[in-house]
């Protein structure tokens, strides 16, 4: 089968590409390298087709999707605080870009498109865990764009018959997540602070919680969402069903590193939600999604990866 992975040089994208190649599929990656990196594709160099372009360029998307069976649409401007700072840019990439991918996928008559949606769609709805039947109520521009992407994917299903599946990822973490931007995922930041002996910053009291999901679980869901029969038009949570507070993650990291982490506490971040936890019953039932790596094991693996990837003192 031939897969187009938008954002395939990024964190979740490149991990997905590795698995697709391992399974013998043909893969095209479309990525503008704004967040992704070519080095993330080092293990599959020569085995995939790489196109450097943005999803905001419709003609480039059309070229990339040519003859694809499946589209995994993962390209996006991530980050809640970035979207609060610059909603226009997040909108341009996440909504206009997604519309381009849908139009190109429709015209290329792909078998199915899988859209990387987000747990941020749930917003501040107080019920835990979050179930797909709950009414979305995003509280950040990022959450809005991800929810609009879902609506567009579903509407393309209705209007043009294009099969679509939306996956609401819950705080995915793991190897290759870029820790270097102010908008990076919290665990990539905490781990690199721990390795660099710098002080991590907690926004708020650290008692906010997340269903941190190791990237291999998200990759599993991505592949199942392409293949599972009879699930078009559906939205699935991709989490683990557990949740940890930031304070708990700091404590666990301290145990893994063998030294306590002394964080500094700053005011809470704009657009932040308090708690997040996935109900994954629907994915288990209809996709056979079965997360294999629980949080603490994922944290150990991720810590080991960053430690191995860290430049030695002489190279710094
Ligand atoms: C949100 C989405 C997630 C999406 C991600 C994309 C929710 C529940 N999750 O993640 O599905 O993939 O955006 O960017 O909406 N924090 C610190 N110190 C730091 C960095 C962050 O304390 O140095 C805090 C944040 O204030 C937040 C928590 O850690 O409370 C998690 O932040 P982050 O990793 O950025 O993810 P979310 O915004 O939860």
């Amino acid at each position: 089968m031939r897969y187009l992975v938008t954002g395939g040089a990024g964190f979740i994208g490149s991990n997905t590409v590795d698995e697709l190649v391992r399974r013998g599929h043909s893969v095209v990656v479309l990525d503008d390298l704004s967040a992704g990196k070519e080095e993330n594709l080092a293990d599959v160099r020569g085995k995939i087709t790489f196109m450097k372009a943005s999803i905001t360029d419709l003609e480039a998307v059309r070229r990339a999707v040519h003859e694809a069976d499946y589209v995994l649409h993962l390209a996006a401007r991530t980050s809640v605080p970035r979207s609060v700072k610059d909603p226009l840019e997040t909108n341009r990439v996440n909504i206009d870009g997604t519309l381009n991918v849908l139009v190109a996928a429709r015209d290329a008559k792909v078998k199915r498109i899988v859209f990387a949606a987000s747990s941020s769609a749930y917003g501040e709805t107080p019920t835990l865990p979050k179930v797909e039947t709950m009414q979305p109520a995003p509280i950040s521009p990022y959450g809005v764009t991800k929810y609009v992407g879902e609506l567009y994917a579903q509407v393309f299903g209705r209007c043009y018959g294009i099969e679509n599946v939306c996956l609401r990822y819950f705080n995915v973490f793991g190897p290759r997540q870029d820790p270097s931007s102010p908008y990076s995922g919290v665990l990539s930041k905490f781990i690199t602070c721990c390795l660099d002996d710098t002080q991590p910053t907690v926004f708020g009291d650290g008692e906010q919680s997340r269903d941190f999901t190791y990237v291999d679980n998200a990759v599993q869901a991505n592949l199942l969402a392409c293949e599972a029969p009879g699930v078009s038009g559906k939205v699935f949570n991709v989490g683990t069903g557990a949740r940890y507070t930031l304070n708990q993650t700091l404590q666990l990291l301290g145990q893994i590193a063998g030294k306590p982490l002394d964080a500094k506490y700053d005011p809470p971040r704009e657009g932040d939600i308090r708690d997040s936890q996935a109900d994954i019953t629907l994915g288990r039932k209809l996709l056979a999604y079965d997360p294999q790596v629980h949080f603490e094991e994922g944290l150990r693996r991720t810590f080991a990866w960053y430690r191995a990837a860290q430049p030695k003192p002489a190279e710094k």
Side-chain angles (χ1 to χ4, degrees), residues 78-80 118-120 142 169-172 183-186 189-190 201-203 208 210 246 269 272-273 276:
T78 59
S79 169
V80 168
S118 168
S119 60
S120 57
Y142 176 78
Y169 299 149
F170 281 66
N171 290 76
V172 181
Y183 304 125
S184 300
V186 66
K189 289 199 122 24
F190 283 179
T201 303
V202 173
F203 300 120
Q208 64 267 52
R210 296 290 185 271
L246 294 189
R269 233 172 43 177
D272 248 13
I273 66 159
S276 178

Side-chain angles (χ1 to χ4, degrees), residues 44 63-64 67 76 121 138 156 177 192 194 197 201 221 241-242 271 284 288 314:
V44 292
R63 285 194 295 277
E67 292 188 341
F156 268 60
Q177 190 166 32
T192 46
C194 181
D197 276 324
T201 303
R284 279 194 190 280

Side-chain angles (χ1 to χ4, degrees), residues 34-149:
S34 57
K37 295 185 192 133
E38 270 183 292
E39 71 202 54
N40 287 342
L41 296 169
D43 295 346
V44 292
R45 193 162 289 144
K47 298 182 188 155
I48 61 156
T49 304
F50 175 69
M51 285 179 60
K52 181 172 183 284
S54 166
I55 53 168
T56 57
D57 176 351
L58 177 59
E59 292 316 310
V61 184
R62 285 192 191 284
R63 285 194 295 277
V65 81
H66 184 63
E67 292 188 341
D69 295 297
Y70 298 104
V71 177
L72 279 155
H73 174 36
L74 311 185
R77 275 288 173 278
T78 59
S79 169
V80 168
R82 186 194 343 240
S83 77
V84 172
K85 190 158 176 244
D86 191 353
L88 283 171
E89 171 66 4
T90 299
N91 191 94
R92 194 177 70 83
V93 176
N94 294 5
I95 297 186
D96 297 351
T98 294
L99 196 50
N100 283 343
V101 174
L102 284 164
V103 165
R106 176 199 66 187
D107 294 349
K109 299 192 168 45
V110 304
K111 293 194 202 318
R112 186 178 288 177
I113 177 161
V114 172
F115 172 62
S118 168
S119 60
S120 57
Y122 291 109
E124 268 311 15
T125 42
T127 319
L128 288 176
K130 310 292 184 195
V131 189
E132 293 90 342
T133 48
M134 287 166 59
Q135 176 62 43
I139 58 165
S140 65
Y142 176 78
V144 169
T145 65
K146 283 293 174 177
Y147 181 45
V148 169

